[in-house]
Amino acid sequence: MSSRRLNIDNINPHVKAAQYAVRGELAVKSEEFRAALARGTSDLPFKQVISANIGNPQQLDQKPITFFRQVLSLLENPLLLEKEDVLVNHLGYKTDVIERAKWFLKNVGSVGAYSASNGVPAIRQHVADFLERRDGFPANWQDIYLSAGASSGVNTLLHIICADEKSGILVPIPQYPLYTASLSVLNATCVPYLLDESKNWGTDINTIKESYQKAKDAGIDTRAIVIINPGNPTGASLPEEDIRAVLEFARQERLVVLADEVYQTNVFIGEFISFKRVLCQLQKENPDGKYDCVELASLHSVSKGMVGECGHRGGYFELVNFDPEVQAEIYKFVSIMLCAPVIGQCLVELMVNPPKVGEPSYELYQKEYRGIYEGMKERATALHKAFEQMEGVECGEPQGAMYLFPTINLPPKAVEAAAKEGRTPDEFYCMKLLEATGVCVVPGSGFGQKDGTYHFRTTFLAPGTEWVGSIVKFHNEFMDQYR
């Protein structure tokens, strides 16, 4: 008998039950390959590993926004401000960089110190200002909570909403596995609703109602609905009529709406419309107070979009129509974790309040921002064209976010081979792809998918096109092998 107190049989079973495919077996194996290549291993059939499994822009050579990093450098080392002439005349810092850093040092202080539990008040005010500009409706800085990325905000909200194993959360399928994994850890119930692939992965309110009713009949107290807009892994942006339908359903059934809007700047087709804007519009159209008790929590992050600062862990969520006593408990919960990283909070401010027209850094900021956006769009289009050439692969036109989520129609022999290895067919395909090309993607089973269908999710962040060609070559050989 082992002398250790902990073993795999006595640790928290809810943690063991949680699954997070984005960083699962395929990701672990890809890192083993990366380490082997770094050691000079030459017996692998590829020369580099492409981590197309995760939206991690700067790992895949997306360059940081100069203005953001210059300001942060001065916050990390304020002594540099004693040499303003050197910064401006020799190191390429613009005067507005210096002015913004001084504003932070005045309103935040040292980034090495804790802030208020829900974030620096002056930064939260700037987030509120951004939301007012974006939506055309007022925002209260006291309803804004700065978090360590959107994931931390989701974790906070789910802890507050879920009371026991009968607490249900409507979650879109396919979905980002943060939600199902978090609900598993909380021992709460995921109530899945399928997105409609034939309609560019749109929401179908009737499907949502059916899922809700099925859970209700099973004794589940469904308390909230998650909407990822634009979608992950699908990239779809919801039209206003779909948002209105969800909010009306939430009103009827007294559901909290969790709007994950971290990809709001990554939109190629259509436009991003926030849930906050539509809810406020509904309140304006219905002055009788019909929508005044619809609780909305919307989340955003510095990790995605053209900012791509995943490692700095900055984000926020805004609460609308929440009971003040519930907000007090949310404040208590975030206080337990002390505060979000203060440098990440500063990045949130920079994201929502970038250089403006006429300011010294504006031209470079716009050039970098547009360059990143156009580069993503070009790579998404190139990857989509490659998928169109591949036998048995179906993929909608890139709509946004950072991903494509193609359907793969696999031969029966491949399905049989997968079963012999104890894998789902799409997991089997993705593992063979990794072993042959070094390209790491995520099987659709990790996000949830309609029974009998197979998909994989890939980012289009990696530079170059050689890796795209290697996917096409692999696919052709795979299909020939398993005909």
Side-chain angles (χ1 to χ4, degrees), residues 413-481:
K413 287 184 179 179
V415 176
E416 292 169 10
K420 288 178 181 177
E421 290 193 11
R423 300 185 185 278
T424 62
D426 48 1
E427 183 184 12
F428 176 78
Y429 177 92
C430 293
M431 183 62 76
K432 295 298 184 184
L433 172 66
L434 173 63
E435 292 170 348
T437 67
V439 177
C440 183
V441 298
V442 189
S445 51
F447 300 94
Q449 56 196 348
K450 188 175 181 179
D451 287 345
T453 67
Y454 309 116
H455 303 78
F456 65 84
R457 188 194 79 168
T458 176
T459 71
F460 41 75
L461 295 170
T465 57
E466 183 181 340
W467 67 282
V468 177
S470 69
I471 294 177
V472 175
K473 181 175 181 290
F474 160 79
H475 182 80
N476 292 337
E477 292 172 351
F478 180 91
M479 295 298 282
D480 286 341
Q481 181 179 353

Side-chain angles (χ1 to χ4, degrees), residues 193-196 199 202-209 242:
Y193 66 92
L194 285 171
L195 300 178
D196 189 344
K199 296 179 180 177
T203 57
D204 183 327
I205 196 66
N206 291 323
T207 300
I208 294 173
K209 289 178 178 179
D242 284 13

Side-chain angles (χ1 to χ4, degrees), residues 239-255:
E240 183 172 339
E241 58 266 29
D242 284 13
I243 297 174
R244 283 176 172 260
V246 169
L247 290 169
E248 171 58 18
F249 180 65
R251 183 195 69 78
Q252 292 172 2
E253 303 297 346
R254 297 171 60 241
L255 298 175

